Amino acid sequence: MLYEGDHFTEYVYQQPRSVEELRQLIDAAEAEAFSGYGCDGDDHWTPAAVREWRRDRGRIREYLADRRGAWEAHDEKSAQGTAPAARDYATYLDGDLAAHLRAYLFWLDERRPPTLTDRLPPL
């Protein structure tokens, strides 16, 4: 999870990769007072929208770099780990994200997870 903007609203920047990460996400969703975890992304994302979002990821990199100082200052007071999460997100943008998005494109088209023999769509 990462916190955005002046009010540090939460958003999930990467799907859980382990049982522990899933547990942390569920805990955060249960504690979130405004019910912001909709669990409805599949109702809103299309393959075209996913590809467009990925093409524009440089904007996200810039945002993460611009907010670094604010997150580090916030972490000094709260110890919430926002700055390390932002660095992790920046690394994820140019790393594993591409493979995860290709699997998600497959999911959007087929409504099932890909198998090892399925061909994943291009980004």
Side-chain angles (χ1 to χ4, degrees):
M1 248 171 314
L2 196 57
Y3 303 97
E4 175 182 315
D6 295 330
H7 303 287
F8 286 95
T9 53
E10 299 173 6
Y11 65 96
V12 177
Y13 69 88
Q14 178 176 292
Q15 295 302 307
R17 296 168 290 183
S18 68
V19 172
E20 179 57 28
E21 287 182 0
L22 178 59
R23 188 174 296 116
Q24 290 171 350
L25 183 60
I26 291 169
D27 288 347
E30 287 176 346
E32 207 278 311
F34 298 105
S35 300
Y37 290 78
C39 302
D40 60 354
D42 294 347
D43 296 338
H44 302 284
W45 284 100
T46 64
V50 169
R51 288 180 176 107
E52 180 182 344
W53 180 90
R54 182 173 186 276
R55 277 192 303 272
D56 198 26
R57 72 189 180 283
R59 177 180 55 86
I60 298 165
R61 243 187 259 103
E62 289 175 22
Y63 170 79
L64 294 171
D66 290 346
R67 297 288 300 170
R68 179 176 292 144
W71 285 324
E72 288 171 354
H74 184 264
D75 281 349
E76 286 180 21
K77 297 175 189 173
S78 68
Q80 287 187 323
T82 306
R87 287 190 297 273
D88 186 42
Y89 187 13
T91 299
Y92 180 62
L93 283 172
D94 293 319
D96 293 340
L97 177 61
H100 293 164
L101 287 179
R102 291 183 70 211
Y104 186 53
L105 289 172
F106 185 91
W107 170 266
L108 288 173
D109 284 339
E110 303 292 329
R111 295 299 179 183
R112 67 176 177 84
T115 66
L116 293 175
T117 59
D118 286 321
R119 289 187 59 142
L120 296 178
L123 288 173

